[in-house]
């Protein structure tokens, strides 16, 4: 039997094509028409794998979540070190895919990788002795911080034009035009500064927990 000239359509091929489109043009660029054209198939054939566009975007988001390393929660590291390592892995997974962050920010819903992520963090915190309610808050807090850091560049929000920031109007932004060219350094430094402050604050709360 002759082999098909085009690879058979699959969920993985759809997710890969949709992810590339999101990365290149944003969430609004995704449509069944655009995806079908990119995959060389008819639009209705996509519905054999996904019922709606939102399901496709959920799958793209979950594929990104699936790249986050969770091995640090398997034991051997204290909870602070584990959260630190996990936060960096999570941010790294999002770094090349900032356009999908708004979908991830909705929460894991029924996404398997997202649920495994939430389960790992909660389980590690309760195993370390955090009360369940506080472990839930820690998971939420970490997610807010990591997703927020991945949505946009602070440094990239400034233009590299010295004349854009008149000292008469902005007396403290005399060096702001330099931020754009140092974006990665500034943003990564801000993430590490915030993460350290957040975790150090949690350590103080942990040390104040009643002895069990």
């Amino acid at each position: 039997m002759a082999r098909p000239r085009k690879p058979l359509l699959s969920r993985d091929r759809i997710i890969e094509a949709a992810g590339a489109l999101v990365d290149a043009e944003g969430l609004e660029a995704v449509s069944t028409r655009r995806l079908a054209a990119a995959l060389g198939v008819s639009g209705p054939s996509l519905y054999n794998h996904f019922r709606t566009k939102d399901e496709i975007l959920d799958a793209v988001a979950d594929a990104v979540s699936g790249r986050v390393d969770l091995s640090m929660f398997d034991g051997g590291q204290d909870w602070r070190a584990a959260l630190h390592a996990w936060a960096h892995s999570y941010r790294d997974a999002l770094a090349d895919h900032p356009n999908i962050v708004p979908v991830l920010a909705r929460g894991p819903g029924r996404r398997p990788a997202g649920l495994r992520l939430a389960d790992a963090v909660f389980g590690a915190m309760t195993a370390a002795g955090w009360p369940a309610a506080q472990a839930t808050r820690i998971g939420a807090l970490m997610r807010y911080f990591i997703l927020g850091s991945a949505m946009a560049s602070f440094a990239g929000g400034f233009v590299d034009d010295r004349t854009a920031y008149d000292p008469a109007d902005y007396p403290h932004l005399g060096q702001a035009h330099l931020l754009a060219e140092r974006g990665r350094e500034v943003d990564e430094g801000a993430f590490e500064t915030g993460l350290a402050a957040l975790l150090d604050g949690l350590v103080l709360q942990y040390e104040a927990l009643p002895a069990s």
Side-chain angles (χ1 to χ4, degrees), residues 76-94:
Q77 293 193 58
D78 67 36
W79 65 267
R80 188 195 187 282
L83 283 181
H84 185 273
W86 168 71
H88 276 280
S89 178
Y90 200 171
R91 187 171 185 268
D92 288 345
L94 301 178

Side-chain angles (χ1 to χ4, degrees), residues 68-152:
V68 181
D69 183 14
L70 300 176
S71 63
M72 65 285 295
F73 296 122
D74 293 339
Q77 293 193 58
D78 67 36
W79 65 267
R80 188 195 187 282
L83 283 181
H84 185 273
W86 168 71
H88 276 280
S89 178
Y90 200 171
R91 187 171 185 268
D92 288 345
L94 301 178
D96 294 329
H97 310 283
N99 291 339
I100 199 64
V101 172
V103 179
L104 287 164
R106 300 172 193 163
R110 298 177 182 271
R111 301 182 208 126
L115 290 169
R116 285 192 293 272
L117 189 155
D119 181 74
V121 175
F122 180 81
M125 295 305 100
T126 53
W130 285 99
Q134 188 67 348
T136 299
R137 297 185 191 111
I138 290 171
L141 170 63
M142 295 296 293
R143 191 168 68 86
Y144 298 154
F145 175 69
I146 297 164
L147 293 178
S149 75
M151 288 190 75

Side-chain angles (χ1 to χ4, degrees), residues 10 14 21 27 45 49 62-63 67 72 75-76 86 91 120 124 181 193 198:
S10 66
I14 296 169
L21 194 54
L27 294 173
S45 63
H49 301 276
D62 212 40
R67 298 175 189 144
M72 65 285 295
W86 168 71
R91 187 171 185 268
E181 67 181 37
T193 298
L198 188 158

Side-chain angles (χ1 to χ4, degrees), residues 57 94 107 160 163:
L57 292 176
L94 301 178
D160 61 0
T163 65

Side-chain angles (χ1 to χ4, degrees), residues 1-48:
M1 182 180 295
R3 294 182 179 179
R5 293 183 179 179
K6 296 178 180 178
L8 295 176
L9 191 62
S10 66
R11 285 180 61 90
D12 287 344
R13 284 192 67 214
I14 296 169
I15 292 168
E16 182 179 358
L21 194 54
V22 170
D23 288 344
E25 301 183 38
L27 294 173
E28 297 305 315
V30 177
S31 68
T32 55
R33 179 185 61 81
R34 290 287 303 275
L35 284 176
L39 292 163
V41 300
S42 64
S45 63
L46 299 177
Y47 296 114
N48 293 325

